[in-house]
Amino acid sequence: MNASQSLVDELMSQLQGAPMQQMAQQLGTDTAQTQSAVGAALPMLLGALGHNASQPQGAADLFGALQDHAG
């Protein structure tokens, strides 16, 4: 298992239970549909973040966005 898949697995485990049910409720779907969609989206999102962070300007933009949301 590669590091990216391990991270996806860890994030999916953190979203099980109440967080996944809350997302499903907000989306108006059942938990299984939401879990399937999140499972498909997470690898793409992490891949895009990794790609952007590997570029100097992308890394700076990501850092700036994190600082904006940190408080």
Side-chain angles (χ1 to χ4, degrees):
M1 182 181 309
N2 63 34
S4 177
Q5 187 60 44
S6 178
L7 181 57
V8 169
D9 291 342
E10 179 62 30
L11 289 171
M12 285 297 289
S13 72
Q14 295 295 316
L15 293 172
Q16 295 307 305
M20 192 69 70
Q21 291 170 350
Q22 289 172 345
M23 283 190 285
Q25 185 178 17
Q26 290 176 344
L27 294 170
T29 62
D30 64 41
T31 304
Q33 288 174 312
T34 302
Q35 185 169 350
S36 178
V38 170
L42 272 177
M44 288 186 293
L45 290 170
L46 292 174
L49 281 171
H51 176 73
N52 286 346
S54 71
Q55 312 287 323
Q57 186 59 50
D61 291 345
L62 180 57
F63 183 70
L66 291 171
Q67 285 184 319
D68 289 345
H69 292 287

